[in-house]
Amino acid sequence: MTPRLGFLGTGWIGRHRMAALAGTGLAEIVAVAEPDDTGAAEALALAPGARRVDGLDALLAADIDAVVIATPSAAHAQQSIAALEAGKAVFCQKPLGRTGPEVAAVIKAAEKADRLLGVDLSYRHTAGVAAIRPLLEGGALGHVFGVDVTFHNAWGPDKPWFYDPALSGGGCVVDLGVHLIDLALWSLGWPEVVHVESHLYAKGAPLADPARQVEDYAVATLELAGGTVARLACSWGLQAGREAVIAAEFYGTEGGASLRNVNGSFYDLRAERHHHIRAEPLAEPPDDWGGRAAVDWLARLARGARFDPDARHLETVAQVIDRIYGR
C-alpha cells in the first residue's frame, strides 16, 4: 500500500515532517491545507505533485488515506476526530488534546474507526533513547528507583496562542512536559502513577489564576508503582545560560544512564551508561531524529497497520498532565 497523505498546517514543523515523510518514498503527498500563502508555497515546493485545498473538509474530500496535522493545539482533538470519523489515519503534533478527556475522545474515535493514530513524541526515536531503553527492559541497571526528566527552553514560544490557556491547555507542562512524561513512563514500561505533586510558577510567582495565565516554570514529582520516583522540571524563558537544557536520567541499583543535550542544543543529544563515577558512551550526535516518529507511523501505515492499542497510553500521559495542573 502506498498511502496518500494530506497535510493540515504547514508551518515550520509541518514542513519539516513533510520533508521527512516525502524522503521515505513510502507515500504520495496529494493535498495541502494551509491558510498562509508563504507556508503553502514552501510546502508545495517539497511536494510538487500536491495541490492546495481550502481547509479540513476539502482535505478530507481529496481522496487521501491519512492526515498529518500540525495546527495550533486547540484544534488538534477536533481535527483528529473529524479525520478519523472520515476513515483517515492520523499523525498529529503534540499535544493530541488540551486535556485528558479531549485525548480520550480522539483515542475512542481511532478505535471505533480502526485507523492508525500517531503523535509526534519524537524523543522516543532518538539514537540515545534507542540505546538506553534496552538497558531498562533487560534489567541491566537493576531496580530503577529514580528518574529525572528536564526540558528548559530559554526562549519560549513565539506565538500568542501558547500563552492563552483556553487555546493551549496550559503552559510549559503541556508543551514540553508532555515529552518528558511520555519518555519516562514509556521507557519504564508504563508503571502506574500512584501520586502526583506539583508546583507551577508564572513570572517567578506561584501560578494564581490558571484560567487566565499559563505557567512558565514547573516542577513535579511522580510516585510510580514499584517504588520508583520520577522528578520533572520544565520551563520557558529560564535564565539557563544556554538555549536549552534537556535531559532524561535513570538511576538504578546496578548503574545509571542519561540522555543529555550538548552545549545547549535543541537537537544534539548524547547518551551515556553510568558505572558509579565512570561514564560509558552509548550514542553521540549528529543524529537526525526529528522526523522519525512520523516516519515510523508512515512505515506502519504502509504495511497496513490499523488501530494500535498502545495509543491508549496517550491518555495516560494526558491524565498525568491533568493531575499536575490539579484538574
Side-chain angles (χ1 to χ4, degrees):
M1 169 186 179
T2 301
R4 293 166 58 84
L5 305 183
F7 280 74
L8 182 64
T10 54
W12 180 87
I13 197 161
R15 294 195 302 274
H16 184 276
R17 301 308 186 250
M18 177 183 285
L21 295 175
T24 67
L26 295 175
E28 180 184 358
I29 300 172
V30 301
V32 170
E34 168 57 58
D36 177 72
D37 289 341
T38 299
E42 292 184 17
L44 293 172
L46 292 170
R51 61 189 178 93
R52 186 182 183 186
V53 299
D54 185 14
L56 178 59
D57 289 344
L59 192 68
L60 297 177
D63 190 24
I64 60 172
D65 303 301
V67 179
V68 179
I69 298 173
T71 56
S73 297
H76 286 179
Q78 181 181 7
Q79 291 170 341
S80 295
I81 290 169
L84 291 161
E85 289 180 343
K88 317 302 180 186
V90 168
F91 183 81
C92 187
Q93 281 305 307
K94 56 79 189 171
L96 182 59
R98 292 166 292 183
T99 65
E102 280 195 350
V103 172
V106 180
I107 296 166
K108 182 178 180 180
E111 185 169 12
K112 182 177 180 180
D114 194 20
R115 291 295 182 269
L116 188 64
L117 172 64
V119 176
D120 202 356
L121 295 165
S122 48
Y123 288 88
R124 293 185 185 186
H125 298 270
T126 61
V129 170
I132 290 171
R133 197 177 188 221
L135 302 178
L136 300 170
E137 292 178 325
L141 305 184
H143 168 55
V144 177
F145 55 85
V147 179
D148 288 348
V149 284
T150 307
F151 198 149
H152 298 306
N153 179 347
W155 294 110
D158 60 357
K159 295 180 175 61
W161 65 262
F162 277 94
Y163 302 92
D164 181 342
L167 297 178
S168 62
C172 59
V173 172
V174 75
D175 179 39
L176 306 176
V178 63
H179 282 300
L180 303 178
I181 297 163
D182 175 79
L183 186 58
L185 298 182
W186 174 79
S187 296
L188 296 174
W190 299 106
E192 179 188 359
V193 180
V194 297
H195 181 70
V196 174
E197 181 179 350
S198 62
H199 301 275
L200 308 176
Y201 288 78
K203 306 302 181 185
L207 184 66
D209 187 357
R212 301 182 62 183
Q213 190 179 32
V214 299
E215 80 287 352
D216 55 22
Y217 180 81
V219 292
T221 301
L222 314 181
E223 295 179 19
L224 310 180
T228 301
V229 62
R231 301 185 301 176
L232 174 152
C234 60
S235 67
W236 294 334
L238 192 71
Q239 307 290 338
R242 64 202 75 181
E243 289 194 302
V245 179
I246 304 169
E249 300 166 303
F250 301 87
Y251 304 110
T253 55
E254 303 298 327
S258 65
L259 177 77
R260 296 169 180 151
N261 68 323
V262 179
N263 297 325
S265 172
F266 283 97
Y267 309 106
D268 292 337
L269 301 169
R270 173 181 294 126
E272 296 176 331
R273 180 173 179 175
H274 303 159
H275 306 269
H276 194 208
I277 63 171
R278 181 172 64 86
E280 172 192 347
L282 294 176
E284 295 281 345
D287 176 31
D288 187 14
W289 52 270
R292 285 190 190 139
V295 169
D296 175 73
W297 167 83
L298 176 58
R300 288 186 291 149
L301 184 65
R303 293 193 298 267
R306 301 177 84 86
F307 178 73
D308 182 352
D310 282 348
R312 298 190 184 108
H313 289 305
L314 296 166
E315 184 180 1
T316 302
V317 174
Q319 289 172 340
V320 172
I321 291 173
D322 281 350
R323 291 166 73 180
I324 288 173
Y325 284 131
R327 61 194 184 199

